[in-house]
Amino acid sequence: MIKSAEKSKLLSLTVEGMTCASCVARVEKTLNKIPGVANVAVNIATEKATFSLSEDVPLETVAQAIEDSGYHLRTAEVTANAAAPGEPQDASDVTLRTDLRTAAFFSFFIFVISMGMEFRFFHHVWPFAAETTHKILLILTTPVMFIPGKRFMQIFWKNLKQRTADMNSLVAIGTGAAYGYSTLAALFPDWLAKSSAPPHVYFDSAAVIITLVLMGRWLEHRARKKTGAEIRALLQLQPASARVRRGEMEIEIPLAQVTGGDILLVRPGERVAADGILTTGSSSVDESMLTGESMPVDKKRGDAVIGGTINLAGYFEMRVTATGSDSMLAKIVRMVEEAQGSKAPMQRLADRIAAVFVPAVVAIAMVTFLGWMWLGGMAGFDKALIHFVAVLIIACPCALGLATPAAIMVGTGVGASRGILIKNGESLELVHKLDTIVLDKTGTLTSGKPQVTDIAFTEADEMESLRWISSLEEKSEHPLAKALVQYAREKNLSSLTVDAFTTITGGGVKGRVDGHDMVIGSQSFLEAENIEISLWETQALQWSEQGKSVIYAAADGRAIGLVAISDPLKPSSKAAVAALRARGLRVLMLTGDHERTAAAIARQAGVDGYVAGVLPDGKADAIKKEQAEGHLVAMVGDGINDAPALAQADVGIAIGTGTDVAIESAAITLVHGDLLHVVSAIELSRRTIATIKQNLFWAFIYNTLGIPLAALGYLDPMVAALAMSFSSVSVLSNSLRLRRQAAAAAVNYVL
């Protein structure tokens, strides 16, 4: 019997306690072993695990498995309505800072005393003998080992029970070995003495290593918070309350109590509390945080407004259409969080290395210890121990684990702040490899709002002829008909009575207006009605070559004139195409228009080529053809008929002003309809991938050079701890340059 597919939900939850790439590998392995858990991705930069969970598997089961592996799964999800995003991280920050201060306080005195004894800085004033000094150092070091250092020991013990190891294990083994040997030497010096002099102790190494590791983690923690600044800024866009009209009363209520259909009152300077439709008044709204568009957007009755935007001028009322998880802001936050929690293909190499890295390091450290013991016998024990500790400490795989996710987290965050929503890390990585961009014409290259540009009539009274035509076209739903009707309204022309209205799909319309039998439509439609149009062919050809659609009009069997309608290019389209081509990309255009109109628009836009007369179901086939020729293709579109092509393309880029179907089919969504944002997305991808490569290079070089140097005795454990701590910080700092580059850019599409 075949079991039916189980329903599942996608979760993205915080995992506490992860410190390196090995931790990520173990959490992923733990989750993948649980029946009912699939699509696992763990990200150390966001400290989150994203996975699909079958509805019949309790979340508590997953949490317990994570707990048993040495980590903690926070089962409460953060939503877009969270009042204080980042609070759990702040609590962790306080604990880490307290431990660091404690360790630093004791380590300062331990280090000063140890260096004074080593180099005899104050042997004339120090009243204690070496054996007594060692006991004093033991007293000072013990609080460091068992208060701030407890975190390493606890995780090491859990790892030992699970027969696994991570960065905490390396720190615990290294500092524990130094502390254990030094304690034995301090309490029972006769057991270890090789001469009349007391044996050497390494309390300073144990304490200072713990201090430096904690310092590195605190700096790393602070840097990680910066990498998530954009998403926290998004979460904080919504106000805590909203002013609502209830009957004749105006009351202020918490945002959580706002529901669909409520009438919100928005005053100048206030943030819009929810998505909705403006019902009364008008204003200018700042949508820059959501769309990346710096210019305010004018809003009037019937226009949509987005929760989280700022009302700059004017009072208006609006009817709520979406709140909470259904709002645009919540959807954007979810998309960004999913992207930041995903993995890029480039990370797979690092993951494979991380899975075996720590056990390999422990093995190398043991070989180092045995090698130095073999070279020096018991007399070489001190050197063997110190080099053993140095290998363990220098080998931290933190930088390796952070190299890719940190850059992706910053890159997707920067994109979100500029209205570029990237679905996952794979899409972000793939964009930089593209060689062909295919643009849909209507609504993408062009405004998608046809406008009347020219009219020509034989009748003396052009306005009366236009009035006949617009009255008949009012009955049609065709976009060109709506453009003609809008033009007549702008001329203040009133409508006439229409009788016997008929529409012919793909041809035009017929009817009786003010006593005249009217025929309006394409050239072929009028010819089929046996109407002579030869006198108008020259003018029609001229307009067609300019990329305009030509409508013929006839009254009582005689052609009376032409109307030219154009869907103009968006103001930025030509600049966007030029910018794409300047980056070495082929730019093609797809359109259902006939050859002459397509050629004219292609010339105006400056594209490399075009395909005309493409039916909606043929757009995906056009993409397939490009892919069959070896091209890596991005499709940019906005309509329902673009969805198959967006899904077929290697990277689908949806214009956010388009349909939900198009957006769902795309890997990248541009919240604003400006094509320059396509250039921004490509530039962002290229810079993010360059940053990832830099991070991986330094992470690999760091470990490749550091471990041999430590094994050969050229690296002191405290220097190793300092270098290890700053390696992760350097990777995060390099990733944060993406944000600084974007902030410094004068033009949006040059990120």
Side-chain angles (χ1 to χ4, degrees), residues 527-580:
E527 288 175 341
E529 294 291 321
N530 297 316
I531 296 173
E532 177 61 41
I533 59 170
S534 57
L535 291 175
W536 299 98
E537 287 180 348
T538 302
Q539 181 64 75
L541 178 60
Q542 181 182 345
W543 285 346
S544 294
E545 288 175 345
Q546 295 172 3
K548 299 173 182 178
S549 299
V550 179
I551 296 177
Y552 288 78
D556 301 322
R558 180 173 61 89
I560 62 170
L562 304 174
V563 176
I565 298 179
S566 173
D567 182 8
L569 288 175
K570 292 178 179 177
S572 61
S573 290
K574 190 172 182 179
V577 170
L580 290 169

Side-chain angles (χ1 to χ4, degrees), residues 80 90 125 158 268 275 630 678:
D90 290 343
V125 296
K158 287 183 178 180
D275 296 356
V678 176

Side-chain angles (χ1 to χ4, degrees), residues 11 71 103 116 163 258 443 445 505 610 625 703:
L11 299 175
Y71 306 94
R163 297 181 182 178
V258 174
L445 266 172
T505 303
Y610 64 91
K625 183 180 177 182
N703 285 298

Side-chain angles (χ1 to χ4, degrees), residues 694-709:
Q694 293 164 6
N695 289 349
L696 286 172
F697 172 79
W698 288 113
F700 278 120
I701 287 295
Y702 171 82
N703 285 298
T704 302
L705 296 178
I707 293 174
L709 287 174

Side-chain angles (χ1 to χ4, degrees), residues 670-685:
L670 309 179
V671 177
H672 191 263
D674 195 329
L675 265 185
L676 286 173
H677 282 61
V678 176
V679 188
S680 294
I682 291 169
E683 195 66 26
L684 178 62
S685 171

Side-chain angles (χ1 to χ4, degrees), residues 131 134-135 138 181-189 192 199 201 203:
E131 290 187 2
H134 291 170
K135 291 181 173 63
L138 170 62
Y181 170 78
S182 300
T183 300
L184 193 62
L187 297 179
F188 308 102
L192 301 176
V201 295
F203 289 117

